[in-house]
Amino acid sequence: QVQLQESGPGLVKPSGTLSLTCGVSGGSISSNINWWSWVRQPPGKGLEWIGEIYHSGSTNYNPSLKSRVTISIDNSKNQFYLKLNSVTAADTAVYYCARGLGGLLDYWGQGTLVTVSS
Amino acid sequence: DIQMTQSPSSLSASVGDRVTITCRASQDISNYLVWYQQKPGKVPKLLIYAASTLQSGVPSRFSGSGSGTDFTLSISSLQPEDVASYYCQKYNSAPLTFGQGTRLEIK
């Protein structure tokens, strides 16, 4: 059973950089059939896809966030990462990592709340 | 980019009612449409993929239909445990895009 777990600071200052890690267990992040996504959900609002990465390092991003987002991967650690810079209060959200299979997201982490505040 | 529009944004129905939620894509996405269920305080769960294929373990009262630009999620007989938000998402190509969600409550 694949499991994903997000980790990282729960509080980030405005204009700073949000950095999260997603650890994958029960499966290989180097799988040829999976992409690895980040999704966020502001409190009381809907889901927003941030972007995805393949084990080769290829990425796709949400155009609305592309200028501020970097997703990277470490196959040796079975982890992938999210960096979002120049954050504002609008970036306060629960951040999920998820496994992609042909574009649908079949396994999700539990999510981690990141608050942007001074 | 393709936009996904769900309706209604919220819905209140009685136990046993048939419930229908619609999702419209701004361009043809064939059947590359998935539905997720998110119960309050929980992680989204994949319900239906390829527009109409039930994920393993999902009760048969759930069904999906549609192709191209218009899709529906139906619950044949609403149960209390179906209280949740439901999201559609297109996955024919990146960027992946979610609908804005439909919050389903019991009347």
Side-chain angles (χ1 to χ4, degrees):
Chain A
Q1 177 82 346
V2 174
Q3 293 185 316
L4 297 93
Q5 181 66 57
E6 306 86 354
S7 60
L11 182 64
V12 180
K13 289 185 176 358
S15 78
T17 297
L18 181 159
S19 297
L20 294 175
T21 298
C22 182
V24 178
S25 59
S28 174
I29 206 168
S30 300
S31 163
N32 287 330
I33 62 170
N34 297 119
W35 286 67
W36 304 91
S37 276
W38 287 99
V39 177
R40 71 179 183 178
Q41 185 171 38
K45 296 187 178 179
L47 302 169
E48 180 180 34
W49 181 75
I50 298 170
E52 64 182 357
I53 191 164
Y54 192 57
H55 67 80
S56 64
S58 294
T59 54
N60 292 304
Y61 295 125
N62 185 326
S64 69
L65 296 169
K66 187 174 184 177
S67 63
R68 299 193 291 130
V69 172
T70 303
I71 297 175
S72 57
I73 194 165
D74 187 331
N75 292 291
S76 67
K77 293 184 177 180
N78 234 34
Q79 293 178 342
F80 64 108
Y81 310 95
L82 170 68
K83 286 190 184 300
L84 179 66
N85 57 35
S86 304
V87 298
T88 70
D91 296 309
T92 294
V94 174
Y95 285 76
Y96 297 98
C97 56
R99 189 182 82 166
L101 180 63
L104 52 88
L105 304 175
D106 60 352
Y107 287 94
W108 296 62
Q110 287 302 303
T112 186
L113 174 63
V114 179
T115 301
V116 178
S117 175
S118 54
Chain B
D1 295 326
I2 297 174
Q3 306 304 314
M4 306 299 294
T5 304
Q6 278 182 244
S7 61
S9 56
S10 64
L11 176 58
S12 182
S14 299
V15 173
D17 282 355
R18 180 177 182 84
V19 170
T20 298
I21 297 168
T22 65
C23 178
R24 175 165 289 175
S26 61
Q27 297 176 35
D28 189 337
I29 59 169
S30 184
N31 69 335
Y32 290 94
L33 193 283
V34 59
W35 290 96
Y36 300 95
Q37 176 193 62
Q38 185 179 32
K39 294 185 177 182
K42 301 298 186 181
V43 177
K45 169 188 169 184
L46 196 159
L47 270 186
I48 291 170
Y49 61 95
S52 61
T53 303
L54 234 57
Q55 177 74 332
S56 175
V58 173
S60 59
R61 64 181 179 274
F62 290 90
S63 64
S65 65
S67 183
T69 61
D70 294 311
F71 303 89
T72 61
L73 169 68
S74 296
I75 307 172
S76 61
S77 178
L78 185 64
Q79 299 301 304
E81 59 267 32
D82 300 334
V83 168
S85 292
Y86 293 85
Y87 296 90
C88 63
Q89 177 222 313
K90 68 94 173 172
Y91 61 99
N92 59 318
S93 63
L96 308 183
T97 309
F98 291 95
Q100 76 274 26
T102 296
R103 179 174 294 181
L104 176 59
E105 299 175 339
I106 299 289
K107 194 181 292 183

